[in-house]
Amino acid sequence: MLEVESAVPEAVVRVRFAPSPTGYPHLGNIRTALFNWAFARHNNGVFILRIEDTDVARLVEGAADVILDSLRWLGLDWDEGPYFQSQRLELYHKAVDQLLKQELAYRCYCSPQRLESMRQEQMKRKQPPGYDRHCRNLTREQKAEMEASGIIPVVRFMSPLEGQTFFNDLLRGQIIFENSTLDDFVILKSDGYPTYHLANIVDDHEMAISHVLRADEWLSSAPRHVLLYQAMGWQPPLFAHLPMILGTDRSKLGKRHGATAINEYQEQGYLPEAMFNFLVLLGWALDDKTEILTRDEIVKHFSLERISKTAAVFNKDKLDWMNGVYLRGLGLEEFVQRAMPFLGRDLPVEISRPLDTGYISQFMPLVQERARTLAEVPQLSDFFFVEELEYDADLLLGKIDKAEAVKGLQASIARVDGLQDWTATSLETVFRPLAEELGLKTGVFFGLLRVAVTGRTAAPPLFQTMEVLGRERCIKRLKSAIDKLER
Ligand code: GLU
């Protein structure tokens, strides 16, 4: 028997990320992009990038490029776009004309001064803010008079005065808004650009968007959008308003929580794959325990059902931890390759470039164990490069006095000068008994040596470090530590 294919084609998932280039994208923006991307990829759908650049006054130069770069950095590849709303004005004008013709929108000639005094008045009377619909019922003559005066009007949507607007949010269920709370919002500004509300619904319709997954802050705009869809005679997409992201103090996420623009995370040495993993867990989870997930696993399992209904909490310590996990998961060569730009950028200028990858690879395993970000790599390893260490002589005198320290350093030089093979193991077999001979605790003695050869109290394992630094450099550093003490 022939198998009959289902007559109903599977609904196509088409989603979009629609940022406004009014600033550099922050964590929340990119989390939205990621959820849309993952939802599209999971469903073999289409991910569209649309730049909502109609608020000309608030445009930030270069922001759109940074948005694109951030998406590329995280591997959030888009299938269509980027579309720029500023290049699609005709479409919005067409929609506005239709609404005007159907008398579902009207021209408003109110001056900014009038609107301002209206606002003041409303505040004084403790009334909710909103346009008082002054121009909604102008007579034909009044309209003609206004037109003749040369005032360039805005166009406002004629919101219903009563009744309710409802829609089903895929995450929050039935949402009901009282129409009386909606004012006659502007859909076309006097500069000829549409407002967000209008451009957004026209494009979601034109681009056949199936699901709108966006930040929770847009929930209050949704009833306006639903009314606009109804007025245009269009079927609205399905909505899902994503949970908020809060700081660990449970207030709205901001800079003070250590959350910055995404490109800054890149500069601070976070890996895109760690960032990706971290971001998806801000409001989505596979189960109640899995933290580390690959891209493929995320795509495989991503679903709206697993998006949390409560706010997500941004925890910078968790990000640092996760980044460390990803850093340690890299092969040595890969780690070196990723760290190189950071070494080039942050190592002191007097260290000559290009840096020697062969030498670097010798100590990178030690650094890889410890770094939480790539930007920490130069900090953790600069003593491998510099000729002269700069540190305060007092650092050498943790728990011993000057005479003991000098004696210890001199004895160390004498012991290692003729050491046959310069390896971590043989260095250890020299220094352990030496501590005892000197009557010093190993911790104290090794601490002294560590400062002498690295210039710091916390560094990778001492003997492995000394092995990489080499005999000559170590002896030179031990000598200069004595000089420092005797100076
Ligand atoms: N341009 C809006 C933003 O910046 C888009 C909101 C939406 O997805 O509808 O987030």
Side-chain angles (χ1 to χ4, degrees):
M1 237 177 57
L2 268 177
E3 276 207 24
V4 184
E5 270 187 46
S6 159
V8 190
E10 238 180 79
V12 183
V13 164
R14 289 178 60 87
V15 289
R16 67 351 181 236
F17 176 49
S20 302
T22 51
Y24 286 6
H26 55 72
L27 228 110
N29 301 132
I30 299 296
R31 195 265 321 245
T32 298
L34 174 49
F35 278 29
N36 277 283
W37 180 90
F39 186 65
R41 293 291 169 264
H42 176 82
N43 292 293
N44 290 320
V46 178
F47 177 56
I48 297 165
L49 178 58
R50 181 171 85 217
I51 307 292
E52 302 206 325
D53 56 348
T54 60
D55 194 347
V56 183
R58 292 181 55 227
L59 292 185
V60 168
E61 186 149 340
D65 288 334
V66 178
I67 294 170
L68 265 57
D69 286 346
S70 301
L71 295 176
R72 287 192 191 105
W73 179 61
L74 286 168
L76 300 176
D77 55 325
W78 53 92
D79 308 302
E80 283 183 27
Y83 297 104
F84 288 84
Q85 289 189 323
S86 58
Q87 294 167 9
R88 302 164 59 84
L89 298 183
E90 252 173 62
L91 275 171
Y92 316 127
H93 289 169
K94 213 173 106 193
V96 171
D97 288 345
Q98 181 185 327
L99 293 173
L100 281 169
K101 203 176 291 156
Q102 291 176 300
E103 295 192 358
L104 294 169
Y106 61 92
R107 294 193 172 83
C108 165
Y109 302 88
C110 291
S111 66
Q113 293 79 355
R114 177 174 184 277
L115 294 176
E116 184 49 36
S117 57
M118 173 196 80
R119 244 191 304 271
Q120 299 289 347
E121 192 64 21
Q122 285 168 340
M123 263 178 8
K124 217 161 47 194
R125 297 206 199 133
K126 297 203 161 55
Q127 287 171 338
Y131 180 58
D132 62 3
R133 303 192 158 104
H134 180 262
C135 292
R136 180 163 169 148
N137 300 308
L138 295 182
T139 61
R140 198 182 284 268
E141 292 73 32
Q142 284 170 317
K143 280 185 203 164
E145 198 181 309
M146 290 294 178
E147 286 294 327
S149 73
I151 297 173
I152 302 173
V154 301
V155 177
R156 290 181 182 275
F157 181 67
M158 219 178 257
S159 293
L161 301 176
E162 51 198 23
Q164 291 174 326
T165 296
F166 41 90
F167 63 93
N168 188 41
D169 184 281
L170 295 173
L171 299 176
R172 295 151 189 270
Q174 176 94 303
I175 305 281
I176 303 176
F177 271 87
E178 292 296 329
N179 291 338
S180 57
T181 63
L182 302 170
D183 76 342
D184 289 354
F185 56 93
V186 175
I187 55 176
L188 187 69
K189 294 175 278 186
S190 55
D191 63 4
Y193 280 86
T195 56
Y196 154 70
H197 300 302
L198 184 86
N200 191 269
I201 70 111
V202 169
D203 278 343
D204 281 349
H205 173 74
E206 285 293 327
M207 295 175 188
I209 299 301
S210 60
H211 297 73
V212 168
L213 317 185
R214 66 181 167 198
D216 166 90
E217 63 189 290
W218 300 106
L219 184 66
S220 59
S221 296
R224 293 189 179 92
H225 298 172
V226 171
L227 286 170
L228 282 169
Y229 281 113
Q230 287 168 354
M232 292 301 296
W234 294 337
Q235 175 74 24
L238 298 167
F239 292 103
H241 289 89
L242 306 174
M244 288 240 291
I245 304 176
L246 306 176
T248 35
D249 60 358
R250 305 205 66 84
S251 68
K252 193 172 187 271
L253 188 63
K255 270 212 180 340
R256 66 181 185 290
H257 298 109
T260 45
I262 288 292
N263 55 315
E264 289 179 37
Y265 288 100
Q266 183 178 5
E267 286 158 23
Q268 289 168 15
Y270 291 90
L271 296 177
E273 53 270 49
M275 204 69 208
F276 190 100
N277 188 161
F278 177 76
L279 282 173
V280 81
L281 296 180
L282 289 176
W284 178 88
L286 176 62
D287 49 36
D288 54 11
K289 51 184 189 296
T290 312
E291 301 274 27
I292 304 292
L293 288 141
T294 65
R295 256 170 111 78
D296 288 347
E297 285 166 337
I298 290 166
V299 167
K300 183 165 168 218
H301 298 293
F302 192 87
S303 73
L304 298 182
E305 289 75 42
R306 289 187 172 137
I307 293 179
S308 132
K309 292 189 177 39
T310 53
V313 174
F314 167 79
N315 181 341
K316 177 83 180 347
D317 292 339
K318 180 170 168 185
L319 172 61
D320 288 347
W321 165 78
M322 192 172 276
N323 203 57
V325 171
Y326 274 88
L327 282 177
R328 288 190 292 283
L330 297 175
L332 179 62
E333 212 176 305
E334 175 83 20
F335 179 76
V336 173
Q337 200 198 326
R338 302 241 204 154
M340 282 309 263
F342 290 84
L343 288 165
R345 185 188 75 182
D346 294 346
L347 280 177
V349 278
E350 55 277 12
I351 295 164
S352 70
R353 315 295 207 264
L355 300 165
D356 177 354
T357 335
Y359 173 59
I360 289 174
S361 303
Q362 288 176 39
F363 60 79
M364 274 303 184
L366 308 179
V367 176
Q368 187 174 11
E369 276 306 305
R370 280 161 190 78
R372 283 166 312 166
T373 66
L374 290 170
E376 282 180 2
V377 173
Q379 298 163 23
L380 288 169
S381 59
D382 55 1
F383 60 87
F384 283 110
F385 297 93
V386 292
E387 273 314 312
E388 294 289 330
L389 294 180
E390 276 179 38
Y391 62 93
D392 195 6
D394 284 347
L395 218 52
L396 293 159
L397 305 174
K399 288 188 182 104
I400 45 175
D401 62 28
K402 200 161 128 181
E404 279 178 310
V406 171
K407 193 173 149 210
L409 292 165
Q410 280 167 341
S412 301
I413 297 170
R415 283 300 157 90
V416 296
D417 213 3
L419 189 66
Q420 286 268 311
D421 70 327
W422 190 268
T423 60
T425 335
S426 58
L427 286 162
E428 185 160 5
T429 48
V430 168
F431 284 113
R432 272 199 194 278
L434 182 56
E436 206 174 320
E437 274 175 51
L438 292 164
L440 294 171
K441 284 199 178 121
T442 47
V444 173
F445 182 48
F446 293 177
L448 168 71
L449 294 174
R450 179 173 293 112
V451 173
V453 297
T454 68
R456 60 186 66 183
T457 51
L462 178 62
F463 303 117
Q464 293 177 34
T465 303
M466 289 180 76
E467 177 181 329
V468 176
L469 282 170
R471 185 193 312 263
E472 211 186 308
R473 245 186 184 150
C474 285
I475 294 182
K476 197 170 149 214
R477 288 183 181 187
L478 293 170
K479 284 185 179 157
S480 91
I482 298 174
D483 290 348
K484 264 185 196 287
L485 287 169
E486 290 183 335
R487 211 175 283 154

